Each structure stands twice: as structure tokens, then as C-alpha cells.
Amino acid sequence: MPTTDSPPPGPGPAPLRLRAPTAEDEAALRTAHAELAGEGFGLLFEPHRPWREQLAGFERQARGTDLPADRVPADFLVAELALPTGPVIVGRVSIRHRLTPLLLEIGGHVGYAVRPAFRRRGHGTAMLARSVQHLATLGVHEVLVTCDDDNIASARVIEGCGGVLEDVRHVADGVPDKLRYWIASR
């Protein structure tokens, strides 16, 4: 599984790295999931599943093995910050290697989440910049990133990483519209 720990171009804290989740991460990731689920956004995709099954699912998805028709190869990586007291998980990214029609419409290549206690510190920008770098190593040089139209913080992160707004897509009544940005890898 990939690890991305070189400094990104542009803004962002240097000690943050992206890496595959491990067996030792279960408690921290379940805690982070609970924090974000309270905001209506889960960190884990299937939190009810046993941890070993989730790790195996992440590995299958990264390899593109035995995927349902609506899934694409993708890397689920945790964002880890090196603190003097030890490493701490500050969020996660999902880096999709290609797009389905739905991902092209509203999902994009990269999904990310930053834990509430670590927001407004540049971690989201560092996570997205490293994700764009990772996609470039896979041959993806035009990266689609979307966010809800009412998520001003995420729009700023995307724009801070060079995102150029293409358009806004209506999703459904009662659901926020999606801002669609393209980022060219450097």
C-alpha cells in the first residue's frame, strides 16, 4: 500500500504524511469516525464490519480486485501528523484512480476528511496536495475534486491547491449542490 510522506508543493505542514491504515489504527479510526459521523460525514465506509475485514477491503480496493461494478481502484489512506508526543491521525483521504459516471458528476478523484480538532491548520490542504501528487504517479494529471456548495472551508482548500471551478451540479432537492473543481498536477 502506498505511503506519501514527501512535502507537497505549496502550503501545508511538512510532518503530515499519508499512509495505509494498519491493525493498530482501529481505535483511532473508529474514534475519528464517530467524531465525523456526528456531522453527518463518516470516516469509515462500513464501520460495522470487523477491522480485519475493513483492512482487507481497503487492500482489495487499492489493487482493484473483486470490485463491484460501481467501484474503481482507490487508495484509502490515513493522514498522520508527527507530533512530539507521537503520531496522531488527523484525517483520511480516498484517492480514486479513475472516474465512473457518478464520480465524474459529483464524486471526483479525491475525497478527504479532517477531524474537527485538527481543522484550520493547513492539514486539509496538505492532504489534498499529497493526493494530487499520488494521482500524478498513477498517470492522472487532471484531478477532479468536489465539495458541497455550502462547504466554504473545503472550497478554500481546493482553491488553495490550484483548483479551478468548472461548474456547480444540482444533486437532489434537500441535498447541497456540488462545486466541481479541476486541479492540474505539477
Side-chain angles (χ1 to χ4, degrees), residues 80-101:
E80 181 179 79
L81 183 63
L83 295 177
T85 56
V88 63
I89 294 173
V90 300
R92 69 103 169 124
V93 296
S94 298
I95 304 171
R96 301 167 195 110
H97 302 184
R98 57 183 156 78
L99 300 175
T100 64

Side-chain angles (χ1 to χ4, degrees), residues 39-51:
E39 299 177 344
F41 185 91
L43 184 104
L44 300 171
F45 302 119
E46 298 177 291
H48 60 281
R49 290 178 62 194
W51 190 245

Side-chain angles (χ1 to χ4, degrees), residues 12-13 81 116-124:
L81 183 63
F118 297 96
R119 293 180 183 156
R120 301 182 60 98
R121 299 180 191 183
H123 303 313

Side-chain angles (χ1 to χ4, degrees), residues 123-142:
H123 303 313
T125 301
M127 291 163 55
L128 181 55
R130 284 177 174 80
S131 298
V132 170
Q133 284 179 329
H134 181 71
L135 281 160
T137 69
L138 300 173
V140 179
H141 299 286
E142 295 292 325

Side-chain angles (χ1 to χ4, degrees), residues 154-169:
S154 190
R156 285 186 181 148
V157 164
I158 297 166
E159 291 167 1
C161 287
V164 176
L165 182 66
E166 179 180 41
D167 60 18
V168 179
R169 300 282 170 100

